[in-house]
Amino acid sequence: RNGKSTYWYLVREGKQYSSKEETKPISKRQLGINKRLNSDENYILNLCDALLNDTASRQHRFPFLLGDFHRDKKSRTKLPVDGFYEKLNLVIEYHEKQHAEEAGDSDQPAIKTVSGVSRDEQRKIYNQRRRDVLERKNINLVEVNFYAFENDNEMNIIRNKEKDIEILQGL
């Protein structure tokens, strides 16, 4: 009785208890975490972890891989890579559907970034910058395209672990 709060509810025989306590809705932060954990990118990186017998540093940021200057013309954001295997000196980049095709209405291409280009164009510039900078620093880069895998109507990977591992081994 002294250690924990115990609540006793008396319910008539044949009836069921229904809680009147409100459960907290899932926070935006937790929704984002859940979305990332169930993403195709995370699935592919988990398969790579198993294949390489190592764990990647997810969303790793190198001090030398920088985006365009911000509005203040002084600071720049460190660009993330999807997975970095330090022992293997290897970066894995998973290219989702937005990397391969124009994003269209959902990405609002008419809106320009601080650099003066559309978000699609900036994504292409940053992808090329990753390739160039990692090559100069002698870091191996493997780009995994979602087209290499079997996809459903919404362009999400149909998860078939055996087939997907074979594809990754080929890469």
Side-chain angles (χ1 to χ4, degrees):
R1 281 189 344 181
N2 296 332
K4 2 175 177 172
S5 299
T6 303
Y7 299 98
W8 294 88
Y9 299 96
L10 301 174
V11 181
R12 290 183 187 203
E13 192 174 326
K15 299 285 182 178
Q16 284 191 330
Y17 170 74
S18 60
S19 174
K20 299 203 177 15
E21 294 178 26
E22 291 184 28
T23 57
K24 290 184 180 179
I26 298 174
S27 69
K28 285 183 180 180
R29 181 175 183 264
Q30 189 59 45
L31 281 173
I33 290 169
N34 292 348
K35 189 175 179 182
R36 275 190 304 278
L37 288 175
N38 296 323
S39 71
D40 286 344
E41 175 184 312
N42 197 51
Y43 168 71
I44 294 297
L45 288 174
N46 286 338
L47 291 178
C48 290
D49 287 351
L51 277 173
L52 299 171
N53 212 12
D54 196 2
T55 303
S57 169
R58 309 292 166 97
Q59 296 301 305
H60 186 83
R61 294 173 188 262
F62 294 102
F64 50 80
L65 184 57
L66 303 171
D68 294 335
F69 283 101
H70 295 163
R71 290 193 203 287
D72 64 7
K73 305 288 186 214
K74 295 176 185 172
S75 60
R76 298 164 83 173
T77 301
K78 294 177 186 174
L79 298 178
V81 295
D82 294 334
F84 175 57
Y85 296 90
E86 188 173 2
K87 293 175 189 171
L88 302 170
N89 197 33
L90 174 69
V91 168
I92 302 282
E93 271 293 306
Y94 175 67
H95 288 275
E96 298 160 323
K97 56 187 164 234
Q98 70 261 25
H99 288 272
E101 55 194 39
E102 296 292 321
D105 298 334
S106 63
D107 209 18
Q108 301 172 346
I111 296 175
K112 301 290 183 188
T113 62
V114 177
S115 310
V117 296
S118 70
R119 182 68 186 105
D120 287 332
E121 190 62 33
Q122 187 181 46
R123 186 179 293 116
K124 290 174 188 171
I125 291 168
Y126 283 179
N127 285 339
Q128 188 59 47
R129 188 173 296 167
R130 275 187 195 92
R131 289 181 198 108
D132 296 342
V133 170
L134 292 173
E135 185 179 338
R136 276 196 308 261
K137 295 289 185 176
N138 294 320
I139 297 174
N140 300 314
L141 172 66
V142 174
E143 294 179 336
V144 179
N145 196 317
F146 81 102
Y147 281 130
F149 302 92
E150 194 174 339
N151 297 291
D152 62 12
N153 293 343
E154 295 176 12
M155 302 310 282
N156 295 320
I157 293 177
I158 297 172
R159 297 178 183 193
N160 182 339
K161 205 171 184 177
E162 292 79 26
K163 274 186 174 179
D164 297 341
I165 286 174
E166 284 178 28
I167 293 168
L168 287 171
Q169 284 174 332
L171 294 174

